[in-house]
Amino acid sequence: MAAGRGGAAAAGTAARANSGRRGAARRDGGAGAARAARGAAGGGGERREAAQHAAGARPCSGLSAAASLQDAIRTLNTLQTNASYLEQVKRERGDPRAQLEAMRGFLERSGLQVEDLDRLNIIHVTGTKGKGSACAFTERILRGYGLRTGFYSSPHLVQVRERIRINGQPLSKELFSKYFWLVYRRLRGTKDESQANMPAYFRFLTIMAFHVFLQEKVDLAVVEVGIGGAFDCTNIIRAPVVCGVSSLGIDHTSILGDTVEKIAWQKGGIFKPGVPAFTVPQPEQPLEVLRDRARECGCPLYLCPELDAFEAGTRVLELGLAGSHQRSNAALALQLSRTWLQRRGYEAGTDVLQDVLPGAELSAQRSVPLAPTFCPSDAMIQGLRDTEWPGRTQVLPHGPVTWYIDGAHTTSSIQACVRWFRQAALNEDKPQDGSEVRVLLFNATGDRDTAALLKLLLPCHFDYAVFCPNFTEVSVAANSADQQNFNVTLENALTRCVENQKTWTRLMEEKGGPWLPAPLEVGGLLQPDPLRGALLLVPPAERPLNSTSLVFPCISHALQWITQGRDPHLPLPASKVGAHPHPVATSGAVLLQEAAAIRVLVTGSLHLVGGVLKLLDPTLSQ
């Protein structure tokens, strides 16, 4: 994977060298004039930003880049007030101006005006599931045209630098440190009693991303919404080139509302007057909400045709991301990239979108007009095939252990994950002796309905269900600064894991599976006993050999038990973990040690996925 990304970066560098010549040949006069106008009209903003940059970007002289980066991340973590920030969002959601005005104030204190963001040629994308994948497809397609791309996404998996990408690569350690201290010092230096203190973690990174993209002179920026749309801090963007809405579903109900119609209203908040927007097929009622939101602000909204419509004859579009659900994300990416290219003058076409007047009549079967299909260019076909987006429908074969990794965390995305996992596992060669063990590694956070998610996973027929928090290690000090979360304690996280295990126990009993002992409360089980090795929270019970679920205090302990030293990519612990007195762990260890194949599905949380990837692929931390 790392080699693939490096190759893409090298190709992008070579392409950029020719982009001016190729772009001039492709673009019409309007695009050339647009770029010239951008340089002239935006020149004052660029000069102002450059001057402020020179004045404020002196990071930690005398420190190495690595040391400066770690200081930056530790300081960034002091802004981790997501819990209190979400509470603030709930209080302010009746007045979106309050949130956006606060964001505008932070942006101006950092040295930028909202108008400066117009120069970024932004593609703004929201949705409940698939919006990150749609953004990844879109960015990869446009990078194939020789364009210098910026990509802002969340959350990160292993390193916070992943959130801000240039040409598909996470921001370098040096640039992350440089821009972090630039923005942080400006904001700290402009505080007064009348000013809000400091922006929260996500708001800060959003502002920082804008600075990065402007100073690094990207040709475009793909910006993924954080939560919702209308009240999200990325919605300070006033003039995107095109907007997109991926599949809608139920998530973040305490913020966005408890029905898909309420959530659709929030997502439609990114629509802008005169800016074309695209949505994948949605259920009728939320689609009508999106249509109404678009009409209210004069936004031409279109429905993406299915990907099948672009596969003329025998041609099948190959996607770099696995799973049938990725086809709608790819179809959205084709429309977003095509429209961006046309509106910026890089590509002409006779099938240009026709504006839909507010009073226009549509067929009874469709409340939103269908966007035209077209013949995808070679760059589009290649971009779809070369897209990488770790932690989403990702398969890692590690000897006898195969990892199936997907950060699904809503009911609809878990359904898609189950379809993908069952098909992927079915396609694997079966051990001749039939000794295959299936393991679920799961965690869920926030206000998500864990029972609904776990129930959907039952058809996968797991032999063991393992639950653990999103902490890589038990000791806070042992977790990297990138993955520290100060908004939840280990004890609270473990309590949630025990609740998840209880839910699994109940579901298995209802299904008619083996009798399962009810796990105990966390209580005083948080003190690890070095003689026992990895701490298990399910103590021996009356009939423990029939239990199929275990709780571990951290990801590394869970992985050590699951793999039993059989994953060649997973470093063995410094001290050998002793035999655990818990009979379920002991009997399960024997099965795992003797199985010809171990198939592990990791899902429920992108943060869990990130912790697992950090341990399975140490290069991601470099």
Side-chain angles (χ1 to χ4, degrees), residues 560 571-577:
Q560 288 166 22
L572 293 172
S575 58
K576 181 177 176 61
V577 175

Side-chain angles (χ1 to χ4, degrees), residues 119-142:
R119 308 200 309 269
L120 290 177
N121 295 316
I122 290 171
I123 298 173
H124 202 192
V125 182
T126 188
T128 304
K129 68 185 184 80
K131 65 181 186 294
S133 298
C135 286
F137 279 126
T138 304
E139 183 277 332
R140 187 62 188 87
I141 287 172
L142 293 173

